[in-house]
Amino acid sequence: MFNNKELFKTSFQEQLVSRLGKSIEEATAGDIYKILGSLIREYVGRDWAETNRAYKVQQEKQVYYFSMEFLIGRLLGNNLLNLGMLETVREGLEELGWNLEEVEEQEPDAGLGNGGLGRLAACFMDSLASLQYAGHGCGIRYKYGLFEQKIIDGHQVELPDDWLQKGNVWEERRADKKIEVRFWGHVKVWEENGRTVFDTVDYERVWAVPYDVPVIGYGAGHVNTLRLWSAESAMDPAKMRVEGQNSYYKFLDYNRSVESISEFLYPDDSGYEGKLLRLKQQYFLCSAGLISVLRTFDKLKLPYGKLPEKVAIHINDTHPTLVIPELMRLLIDEKGCGWDEAWDITTRTVSYTNHTLLSEALEKWPVGMVRELLPRVYMIIEEINKRFCGMLLKGDPHSQDLVSRMAVIESGQVKMAHLAIVGSYSVNGVAGLHTELLKNDVMKPFYELYPERFNNKTNGITHRRWLMHANPELSRLISESIGTRWISHPHQLLRLERFKDDASFRERVMDIKRGNKLRLASYIKQKQGIAVDPDSIFDVQVKRLHGYKRQLMNILHVMFLYNEIKDHPSAERVPRTFIFGAKAAPGYYLAKSIIKLINVVADAVNKDAQVNGKLKVLFLENYSVSLAEKIIPAANVSEQISTAGKEASGTGNMKFMMNGALTIGTLDGANVEMHDMLGDDNMFLFGLRSEEVLDYYRYGGYLARDVYRQDSRIKRVMDQLVSSGSFCCHEQEFGLIYQSILDHNDEFFVLRDFAAYAKTHAAMERVYLDQGAWASKSIVNIAHAGHFSSDCTINRYASDIWGIRPVTL
Ligand code: 26V
């Protein structure tokens, strides 16, 4: 049906009538989306079942990617693309009077993630299915995704993201596969036939109900599963009636507390308010996910010793670390394994990715909280800790200091990263530099103890969403020039390099970029009523707002440029448009005040006729996956300016590179590897190196106030933050920002790197004047971006960590 346009048109209209009672003329865009989505969902049903059957019959090893976040965004366009039906459906709809892009806009983003970590999980799902691996996702079906951001009077305001309001055409509720998850209670211990038996009593029951989303692979008919768990009440209302009035309130309280488990995604990088609820969410995911994995394994009728041969469990950061003690619990208490056997199985099944070195982001749980909420799991963590510390002391009885640095439980806290490393067979960082810092700095003693466990897997992004879907014109040009093999072998993009000096190819690349800029400009015009010049440099920084990502340095630099233009009004300048998009964690005041600053500067700049035509500043509200797909293809310049050593990898950097933007960046995260491939000619590097930053942290020697005093340009913009004049609303508005730099000595070295940053921007501007040279660099960037396809990353996870191979259906 989807491969024949006429057939598609007829069945589509039939469905409209039979399901909604509407003709094509009466249908709304929302109706069209809904019918199309359901049709596709039903269409893939057969392949989905076929894939599962093949996995079962062939007894393939299954990978389960446990993650608290899956930032998948919209599915319609990508599913059509992967099914090879995009053109038929586009043309069919066109003939019925509908535009596919407009229909795609009807789909709410599935915003079940905060940022890079969640988006990485989504890219991995796409690559696993497209490369025909048996790999599934295991997550939570949050009723509300990451908050919707509104900018009101320059401030971020958070609204609930009610993404399920109109239903979700992609998911399948599987009530028959629900699982009981247990909280609280007391552990009873007794001896029986020479074995110690552990039984938890008086616990609270919660149902975990899975909602399965098909993950459709590109081209091959492979459909994997993203299983998202939803919490439901397990109390019987009939029982309540018998027990009378008092239990009625208990019932309501209980229901409320159950619902809250899968209600909200945590805006992760704020302070951990509602810690207990977050811990509940994590255990809920781990327990439900594992029990369901073991049910599937049980069908193979193999001994548990074979589990590591048939199942790999990967934990995306430490959030799902409880899979380790939970798997131990299930193996010991329910499957009859002894401790040593269970430990051997667990540590050959679980692998772990670390996504950040920031110490404030390393998870710790108060012992009391874990012990009360999860009494049996806590006993197991204690035992793991006891045995681990015992092993350390046995190696060296004087190693008490080492023990306190490495223990899983220390100072009344459970350290999740330590538990994750001790309980898994592989620990990986997400970019070369990050992994080195992990091994030689933050987790050094663990690396010394278990060197064989540590490895690097540089992140990647799916070129299907981020190039083929987001930038169809560029994809077409690529395929016309080098054929279509790059789609299944993204490294082949390298063959584009030979066009870097080809004048007509350069021109076409720049034309496509201009087209994308025009589209973004019209989006901006429609949303904000501001006209931007498509011939200006589109300079973009879009990502979560955080001190270390240094959006502040960017906006201070914009203020500096504004001052320059005002001081020298007749000087020739390359017109520039600075575009920001960022959400700040609701409790992170400094970040929110940086958003306000960006908006205040934008207002001042955009309404000043004197700089008009030379400078524009935009803050695009509610940055999300679908907005990223509009912005990134239109960027000329990608801002990747984190304090060196702080950004584990970054993945936005790769998306911009793949769409032909040039990067201005520090030697941080995956920028280092981009630079290895591109060289100084095709990337604009500046700023402190990570060793220099580390040296400053260790030995001191940096005084932000000195820089402030010595550089008049910097002094001027800093003073503008707190004095009434061009940018300040009232004097205290940006006091916090000012103090963070000058009173708290600029933790992220904004002033230290400012001069180099400004200088590099000026150099970049000069290159832009030579459009041919710019185009050539842009082409080199695209050509090397294949290296950062998540297909390459997933192939390495598959062979080095999980030990799986593609499955032929
Ligand atoms: C969490 C927190 C929590 C407390 C306050 C500060 C803070 C800062 C950052 C985070 C992020 C934790 C994990 C995370 O999202 N890491 C991101 O993972 C991406 C995928 O590997 C990677 O590209 C990003 O560089 C990394 O920040």
Side-chain angles (χ1 to χ4, degrees), residues 20-41:
L20 300 179
K22 288 190 182 179
S23 69
I24 192 83
E25 290 77 23
E26 292 163 322
T28 63
D31 297 333
I32 305 286
Y33 163 70
K34 207 165 191 167
I35 296 296
L36 188 55
S38 325
L39 274 174
I40 298 166
R41 159 65 201 88

Side-chain angles (χ1 to χ4, degrees), residues 317-556:
D317 216 321
T318 54
H319 319 144
T321 300
L322 290 172
V323 295
I324 292 166
E326 178 67 0
L327 182 54
M328 290 295 287
R329 183 186 75 80
L330 292 166
L331 291 172
I332 295 170
D333 296 359
E334 301 195 359
K335 310 292 181 190
C337 296
W339 180 277
D340 291 335
E341 190 193 0
W343 185 243
D344 176 63
I345 294 170
T346 302
T347 52
R348 287 192 296 127
T349 304
V350 180
S351 48
Y352 154 60
T353 299
N354 172 286
H355 293 270
T356 184
L357 301 172
L358 300 183
S359 56
E360 66 272 32
L362 294 176
E363 285 191 300
K364 298 172 198 79
W365 295 106
V367 158
M369 192 190 282
V370 184
R371 188 169 37 209
E372 269 192 58
L373 184 70
L374 312 165
R376 176 64 182 131
V377 165
Y378 183 72
M379 284 174 87
I380 291 170
I381 298 175
E382 249 186 344
E383 185 65 22
I384 294 173
N385 182 50
K386 196 178 101 193
R387 289 174 185 240
F388 177 65
C389 293
M391 185 267 290
L392 289 177
L393 281 170
K394 212 162 125 199
D396 171 8
H398 306 292
S399 57
Q400 199 51 54
D401 173 52
L402 198 66
V403 171
S404 64
R405 276 166 60 208
M406 298 176 77
V408 173
I409 302 176
E410 221 276 313
S411 309
Q413 305 212 291
V414 182
K415 298 186 163 176
M416 301 311 265
H418 295 190
L419 181 56
I421 299 174
V422 173
S424 58
Y425 67 88
S426 166
V427 178
N428 75 281
V430 289
L433 173 65
H434 169 65
T435 303
E436 286 312 304
L437 291 170
L438 198 62
K439 293 195 300 195
N440 302 318
D441 191 41
V442 182
M443 296 296 166
K444 191 168 183 206
F446 288 98
Y447 175 57
E448 282 167 356
L449 183 65
Y450 306 120
E452 70 294 343
R453 288 191 193 180
F454 285 74
N455 63 93
N456 178 59
K457 294 287 168 284
T458 298
N459 281 168
I461 56 165
T462 167
H463 58 288
R464 287 166 291 273
R465 180 178 292 263
W466 296 108
L467 179 50
M468 298 170 73
H469 184 252
N471 202 341
E473 280 85 7
L474 182 58
S475 307
R476 212 165 298 130
L477 173 64
I478 295 171
S479 294
E480 275 169 31
S481 318
I482 61 169
T484 54
R485 244 178 83 80
W486 66 275
I487 295 172
S488 48
H489 297 83
H491 265 119
Q492 296 265 327
L493 284 175
L494 271 178
R495 294 173 59 201
L496 286 174
E497 223 181 344
R498 69 177 120 111
F499 295 102
K500 74 179 162 65
D501 301 316
D502 177 327
S504 86
F505 191 85
R506 285 175 171 186
E507 215 167 287
R508 290 177 73 187
V509 168
M510 292 308 268
D511 280 350
I512 290 168
K513 182 63 81 182
R514 195 167 188 282
N516 295 336
K517 288 166 78 175
L518 277 169
R519 260 187 297 278
L520 181 62
S522 88
Y523 174 86
I524 292 171
K525 179 83 198 172
Q526 177 222 325
K527 288 276 171 190
Q528 305 199 2
I530 296 173
V532 297
D533 171 10
D535 295 313
S536 62
I537 302 179
F538 278 23
D539 184 311
V540 185
Q541 187 172 21
V542 284
K543 48 182 81 247
R544 284 302 295 265
L545 214 138
H546 201 285
Y548 81 80
K549 294 179 188 278
R550 299 201 290 193
Q551 283 95 346
L552 179 57
M553 185 164 72
N554 188 346
I555 197 66
L556 290 176

Side-chain angles (χ1 to χ4, degrees), residues 247-288:
S247 71
Y248 176 73
Y249 293 108
K250 263 205 286 191
F251 178 74
L252 289 185
D253 278 353
Y254 161 80
N255 275 359
R256 189 64 215 115
S257 90
V258 170
E259 271 166 23
S260 67
I261 295 176
S262 53
E263 192 149 56
F264 284 102
L265 162 78
Y266 271 77
D268 199 9
D269 24 344
S270 66
Y272 276 121
E273 280 160 71
K275 255 181 184 287
L276 176 65
L277 186 52
R278 171 86 177 169
L279 181 63
K280 257 190 169 177
Q281 291 187 325
Q282 296 188 348
Y283 181 68
F284 175 76
L285 167 69
C286 293
S287 184

